Structure formats: C-alpha cells, structure tokens
C-alpha cells in the first residue's frame, strides 16, 4: 500500500541531489577530505554511513587525519553524560586547528543537537563550529554544507519534530559482508531515565516494500547479513495501522536471495509477541539471538523506570523464549544506580542475571539526563555505590559468560567470516548464529563465507579455533 504521506517527498530528495552536484562542481576537481567520528548506537553508525554516502557523492574522500581534513564532522550521542563530554573535549581541541586553517569546516550533528541547551552551549563556547544540524534533517546535509561553503556563515538547522521518513538517501557502508538497515525511527516508550524519545522523535516505520527493496539490493551486491535496526524494533509496523508486524517483515526479508543471516535490535520485552518468537524459531535465516534489555530486576524500580513489565513477567517471557527456541542466545542491557535503587533492588538484578544466564550483558551506570522524569527524582545514588554495584554485576556476568563459552570447547561451530582481526593479520574473525565472536587462522578468501571452525580455546568475550571446512 502506498503511504506517501509518511515519506519525504521525492522532490526534496531530488533537491538534495542537485546540491550534491553543485558542491561537487564547486570543488573544481580538487580533492577534498573529510574526517567523520561517530558516537553512540548502531543507529548513529548507520546514519554516519548515510553522511559518508552523501559526502562521497559530493567528491569527498575519508581521512583518519584531522590535520589534512577540509571537513570534520561529529555525529553525536547524548544517552549518557560521558558520551557528551567526549564530544565537547574533541570540539575544544579543534579550536587551534581552525585558527591555523580558517578554510576548515567543522560540523556537529546527531542526537546531542536535538537539545536546545546543547546548541546554545556550542554557539557560545565553541564559536569555531560552522554547521549544526540534528537527527530529523540528516538528509538535508548537502544543502546545509553548500550554504556554509557558499556564505562562510555559521549554519544552524534543527527540526523540532520528526517530519517524514527520507527514503533513497545515498549510503556508503563500512563493511561488505554485514549491513545495517534501519526499519523504524524514534521511540514512544519514554522510559523515565532515557533521552532517546526526546531526540529521535515518535515511532515511524518504513514500508515493507522500501525495506525489501533495500535488502534485495544488498543481497545482489554480495552482502550476507543484515541487522534490522530500531530503538524498539519489535514495535515495527504499529504506526502503519494496517496490521503490519515485525514478524511479517521478518518473513519478507527471509525470502531475499543472497542474504544468509538476519539479526535485529533492540527488542522491548513488552512487544515480544508469540508471532515473533515463532518467526525466530521457524525462519531459517533469522539468527537464534535475542537482545532483550531488562534494565533492572526489581519490579518497584521497573515501575519507576516506566518499563511496563515486572520481574516475574520478564522471567516468564525468557522461559517461554528458551522453551520455544532451545538454541537461543540471549543478551541484555542493565542500568545500575537508578534513583532510589536499594541493596535489595540490586539483589533482584543479580537474581535475574543468575536465573537467565545471558551470553553477555551491557551494563551502564545510571546517568542523569536533563529533561527526563528520572532526573527530577530524589534519592540519586552516590557514584561509589553505583561503581561498587557495577563491579559486582560485571564479576557475576563475566563468570557466567565464561561458563557458557566453556560449553563450546571441542565443539564445531558454523561462522560467517567478517574480516581480519584488528590485532593480528593472520587471524580472521566471524560470528556464530548466536553472535559469539570466533577467531581463527585463515585467509582472505574466506571473508563473506560460512565456514566450520573447531573451538579449542575460550575467552570471556570470544572463542578461538581451527577452520575445518568451507561450505
Ligand atoms: N532502545 C534501546 C536502546 C536504548 S539506549 C533499548 O530500549 O534498549 C541503550 C541502553 O542505554 C539502554 O538499554 C539503557 O540500558 C542505557 N541507557 C539509556 N539511558 C540511560 C541513562 N540515562 N543512564 C544510563 N544508561 C542508560
Ligand atoms: Fe530509551 Fe526506553 Fe525507548 Fe529504549 S525503549 S530508547 S530505553 S525510551
Ligand atoms: Fe545515543 Fe542517539 Fe543512539 S542518544 S544511543 S546515538 S539514538
């Protein structure tokens, strides 16, 4: 079904294409270089692939070296305070570079820019910044960049509401085997600690037909794995109001030839339907891995967090998933030190860890975010107590992760080879369907292939093995 009203009008994208042409033309064949740093989640990483796509169409090439860049751009995150502090640190350091090279264009975009006080602070403190834009108008980047180059003025363009979905923005993907595909934007959940709904807007789902087209092209271009992205990916389709569900989308993507593995994140427990559990169980390409954040084990804290489930409901859900999909690997996110978290509340969090036995867990110290309800709550927890609890969680989880990994010793696993390991040229790396990282000695012909590896060593975060055969 055509739903033109939720899309950025094709004319708008056409207009951006024209700006891409104009910027390219204006460089008069001279090579311009850009340096792009990304903070935050996969959604932001993928947005940066769109920035890279637009930039390469404008004739820019990437450089690691800020000193030789004509354009430096930071795609920012504000989910926790330390993410913001890093960006301010970088911006401060650029002042000298800009004074030495006034032609340099410095741009900042992404989630941080959707907060008025951040934009005001940058305007006041980091006057060497030339371009500020937000998450909702990323597709307008060519026009905004042109405006900076043309006028030499500071350009600030932030949309306060989400507007429509921009289809057909150029993308330059970092990887040739795995691809991220955003299937929905925004979040409606308003967990009381979280800034994301304020900076990413309401939930908007792309149409199945548009997503399918994108994945078809990926499959035809040699990509083997797609990760479908959404802040709350399993609520995909609800806003379309035509009975589209995330499970239905998985059935469609499963048909795409060339694609061998499908992953998705992040799922919210409240939207984990039986249909989705059966889709993971039944669809051959959908990997047996579920990232299912529980955030806290205490029902009282979960209520304060506005998570809409209890400890018992979460555990029941996990037991149902484990029963339906015996080979499922589970990962999660946890926050320690939410306001008012007592020792007993924390014990409940440890209890869930021990009962579920996740393959791995991402643990975060609660960070106060201005504008969220939790930031106004009393009983904020002392940093030392947060850190103590954090260490304890890590200790418990690391020993569970290691025990789970031990079960792989001597076993054969099928992995999709992603590339060379970062630390050693002879060592290649890939993942099992359950998302375990496996390192082995290989050669570059196996990149993008599914191979069998026999596991003979285990680490907390990865497995080591010998390649047995190519499929
Ligand atoms: N939409 C996803 C991801 C949100 S951000 C989800 O709901 O899971 C990723 C993780 O950051 C969250 O799962 C949460 O554990 C953590 N997080 C979000 N806000 C935070 C805050 N204010 N302080 C500490 N951790 C936070
Ligand atoms: Fe934030 Fe909650 Fe939405 Fe995740 S589901 S992005 S934690 S508000
Ligand atoms: Fe950060 Fe924005 Fe992602 S706040 S976690 S980059 S959605």
């Amino acid at each position: 079904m055509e739903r033109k009203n939720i899309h950025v009008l094709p004319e708008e994208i056409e207009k951006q294409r024209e700006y891409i042409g104009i910027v390219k033309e204006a460089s008069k064949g001279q090579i311009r270089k850009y340096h792009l740093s990304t903070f935050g989640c996969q959604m932001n990483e993928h947005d940066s692939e769109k920035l890279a796509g637009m930039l390469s169409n404008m004739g820019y090439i990437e450089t690691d070296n800020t000193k030789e860049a004509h354009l430096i751009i930071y795609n920012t995150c504000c989910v926790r305070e330390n993410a913001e502090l890093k960006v301010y640190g970088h911006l401060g350091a650029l002042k000298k570079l800009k004074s030495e090279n006034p032609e340099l264009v410095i741009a900042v975009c992404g989630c941080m820019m959707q907060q008025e006080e951040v934009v005001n602070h940058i305007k006041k403190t980091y006057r060497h910044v030339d371009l500020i834009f937000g998450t909702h108008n990323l597709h307008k980047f060519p026009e905004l960049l042109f405006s900076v180059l043309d006028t030499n003025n500071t350009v600030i363009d932030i949309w306060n509401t989400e507007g429509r979905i921009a289809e057909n923005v150029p993308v330059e993907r970092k990887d040739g085997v795995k691809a991220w595909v955003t299937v929905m934007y925004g979040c409606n959940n308003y967990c009381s600690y979280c800034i994301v709904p304020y900076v990413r807007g309401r939930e908007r789902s792309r149409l199945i037909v548009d997503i399918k087209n994108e994945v078809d092209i990926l499959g035809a271009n040699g990509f083997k794995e797609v990760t479908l992205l959404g802040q709350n990916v399993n609520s995909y389709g609800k806003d379309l109001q035509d009975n589209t569900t995330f499970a239905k989308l998985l059935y469609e993507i499963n048909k795409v030839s060339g694609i061998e593995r499908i992953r998705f994140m992040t799922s919210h427990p409240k939207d984990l339907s039986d249909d989705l559990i059966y889709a993971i169980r039944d669809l051959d390409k959908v990997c047996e891995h579920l990232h299912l954040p529980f955030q806290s084990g205490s029902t009282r804290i979960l209520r304060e967090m506005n998570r809409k489930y209890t400890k018992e409901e979460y555990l029941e859900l996990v037991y149902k998933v484990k029963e339906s999909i015996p080979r499922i690997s589970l990962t999660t996110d946890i926050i320690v030190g939410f306001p008012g978290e007592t020792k007993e509340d924390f014990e409940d969090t440890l209890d869930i860890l021990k009962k579920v036995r996740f393959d791995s867990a991402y643990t975060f110290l609660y960070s106060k975010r201005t504008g969220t309800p939790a930031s106004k709550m009393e009983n904020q927890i002392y940093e030392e107590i947060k850190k103590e609890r954090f260490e304890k969680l890590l200790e418990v989880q690391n020993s569970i992760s290691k025990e789970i990994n031990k079960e792989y010793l001597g076993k054969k696993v099928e992995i999709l080879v992603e590339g060379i390991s970062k630390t050693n040229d002879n060592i290649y790396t890939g993942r099992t369907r359950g998302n375990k990282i496996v390192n082995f000695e290989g050669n570059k012909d196996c990149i993008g292939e599914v191979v069998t590896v026999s596991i003979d060593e285990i680490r907390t975060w990865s497995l080591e093995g010998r390649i047995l055969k190519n499929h």
Side-chain angles (χ1 to χ4, degrees):
M1 191 178 60
E2 268 294 324
R3 286 178 62 101
K4 279 211 169 86
N5 60 327
I6 60 161
H7 288 78
V8 163
L9 299 171
E11 299 92 81
E12 174 62 30
I13 293 299
E14 203 43 55
K15 188 166 125 197
Q16 295 309 318
R17 263 198 210 115
E18 278 172 29
Y19 280 109
I20 284 176
I22 297 171
V23 174
K24 189 168 183 186
E25 194 70 16
S27 71
K28 299 192 181 83
Q30 182 207 352
I31 291 181
R32 286 185 181 153
K33 295 187 178 173
Y34 74 90
H35 176 84
L36 168 60
S37 301
T38 310
F39 302 84
C41 61
Q42 280 101 337
M43 189 81 77
N44 243 25
E45 292 282 351
H46 183 46
D47 280 351
S48 284
E49 293 182 333
K50 293 181 186 168
L51 291 168
M54 291 185 263
L55 281 164
S56 83
N57 285 357
M58 288 189 272
Y60 281 79
I61 58 171
E62 191 170 12
T63 174
D64 287 343
N65 185 352
T66 49
K67 290 208 174 89
E68 60 173 39
H70 301 82
L71 167 70
I72 297 178
I73 172 160
Y74 292 116
N75 189 7
T76 64
C77 168
C78 52
V79 78
R80 284 170 290 276
E81 191 186 16
N82 53 8
E84 294 198 332
L85 294 178
K86 272 192 223 157
V87 171
Y88 288 134
H90 283 287
L91 285 182
L94 287 184
K95 195 168 178 189
K96 188 161 162 273
L97 206 59
K98 176 81 178 182
S99 67
E100 286 163 5
N101 172 15
E103 298 283 291
L104 171 68
V105 175
I106 300 174
V108 276
C109 63
C111 294
M112 260 173 94
M113 304 307 133
Q114 291 297 140
Q115 306 170 96
E116 210 177 324
E117 66 278 9
V118 169
V119 174
N120 289 338
H121 180 58
I122 291 178
K123 275 200 293 197
K124 219 167 68 198
T125 317
Y126 305 96
R127 290 169 173 235
H128 49 290
V129 169
D130 302 285
L131 171 60
I132 304 179
F133 60 106
T135 58
H136 301 315
N137 58 348
L138 184 92
H139 61 279
K140 268 190 74 184
F141 173 55
E143 182 178 347
L144 301 172
L145 180 62
F146 171 72
S147 179
V148 174
L149 294 171
D150 193 41
T151 63
N152 230 348
N153 287 339
T154 306
V155 173
I156 300 174
D157 189 20
I158 309 289
W159 293 5
N160 289 324
T161 49
E162 51 271 13
R164 298 168 170 140
I165 290 174
E167 290 293 348
N168 298 321
V169 175
V171 182
E172 188 167 282
R173 290 187 155 86
K174 277 227 144 76
D175 198 286
V177 178
K178 306 188 293 180
W180 288 310
V181 175
T182 299
V183 301
M184 66 182 300
Y185 298 85
C187 179
N188 289 354
N189 289 335
Y190 290 100
C191 300
S192 63
Y193 49 81
C194 184
I195 195 79
V196 171
Y198 305 89
V199 297
R200 286 277 176 175
R202 298 293 63 71
E203 291 179 0
R204 288 99 66 207
S205 301
R206 292 174 67 196
L207 300 181
I208 287 189
V209 43
D210 292 330
I211 300 167
K212 178 92 181 338
N213 274 343
E214 184 175 347
V215 181
D216 276 337
I217 295 169
L218 291 169
N221 282 308
F223 284 88
K224 298 290 165 62
E225 179 177 307
V226 287
T227 303
L228 309 179
L229 296 178
Q231 289 301 341
N232 183 11
V233 76
N234 51 343
S235 72
Y236 169 81
K238 284 187 179 165
D239 57 309
L240 297 174
Q241 295 178 348
D242 60 359
N243 297 324
T244 299
T245 61
F246 186 59
K248 275 191 193 160
L249 174 67
L250 288 179
Y251 273 88
E252 284 306 309
I253 303 301
N254 200 65
K255 293 179 196 156
V256 176
S257 62
I259 298 299
E260 293 177 23
R261 289 181 172 189
I262 302 168
R263 303 187 186 278
F264 56 91
M265 68 190 308
T266 295
S267 301
H268 193 297
K270 79 174 170 49
D271 295 309
L272 192 66
S273 67
D274 288 350
D275 279 353
L276 177 53
I277 297 175
Y278 302 146
I280 305 171
R281 182 192 64 190
D282 297 338
L283 292 171
D284 60 333
K285 295 178 184 176
V286 176
C287 292
E288 294 76 18
H289 169 221
L290 188 62
H291 183 63
L292 197 65
F294 73 90
Q295 313 295 2
S296 166
S298 151
T299 294
R300 188 182 68 83
I301 293 287
L302 285 168
R303 200 180 326 112
E304 296 284 307
M305 286 179 161
N306 193 27
R307 288 290 294 181
K308 304 188 177 81
Y309 52 85
T310 62
K311 177 187 182 189
E312 289 68 32
E313 283 163 352
Y314 183 86
L315 285 172
E316 267 167 41
L317 192 58
V318 165
Y319 295 145
K320 185 159 78 178
V321 170
K322 286 192 175 200
E323 203 179 320
S324 307
I325 318 160
R327 288 172 44 193
I328 194 83
S329 102
L330 290 163
T331 55
T332 198
D333 290 349
I334 306 163
I335 296 177
V336 288
F338 183 84
E341 183 188 74
T342 61
K343 200 166 163 290
E344 289 70 36
D345 293 322
F346 178 64
E347 291 294 328
D348 274 328
T349 296
L350 288 176
D351 190 44
I352 290 206
L353 268 197
K354 289 175 190 158
K355 288 202 164 106
V356 177
R357 297 179 60 80
F358 295 95
D359 287 71
S360 65
Y362 300 86
T363 317
F364 305 105
L365 297 171
Y366 167 74
S367 170
K368 199 169 165 177
R369 304 284 66 208
T370 309
T372 61
S375 69
K376 294 185 209 91
M377 289 179 186
E378 285 166 14
N379 298 322
Q380 300 281 332
I381 307 292
Y382 290 114
E383 285 304 308
E384 300 97 87
I385 297 182
K386 279 192 214 171
K387 287 199 179 122
E388 220 174 87
R389 292 179 184 167
F390 183 88
E391 293 300 325
K392 179 71 191 162
L393 267 187
L394 224 55
E395 186 191 308
V396 171
Q397 181 55 43
N398 283 353
S399 89
I400 294 172
S401 294
K402 212 159 182 182
E403 276 167 27
I404 293 178
N405 282 354
K406 263 189 202 148
E407 293 163 17
Y408 284 86
L409 257 186
K411 297 238 169 75
K412 292 176 195 156
V413 292
E414 241 179 48
I415 66 164
L416 173 63
V417 185
E418 294 172 5
I420 301 177
S421 102
K422 283 187 193 108
T423 45
N424 187 331
D425 275 359
N426 281 333
I427 303 296
Y428 284 71
T429 184
R431 280 169 203 257
T432 65
R433 286 174 64 99
N435 216 28
K436 287 254 172 284
I437 297 173
V438 179
N439 298 314
F440 62 99
E441 237 174 78
N443 58 62
K444 67 175 187 318
D445 293 340
C446 56
I447 294 176
E449 300 294 321
V450 173
V451 301
T452 303
V453 172
S454 157
I455 302 301
D456 40 37
E457 210 179 312
I458 58 134
R459 309 248 152 101
T460 313
W461 306 112
S462 63
L463 309 171
E464 317 283 313
R466 276 172 299 117
I467 186 164
L468 295 179
K469 68 170 168 98
N470 273 17
H471 287 250

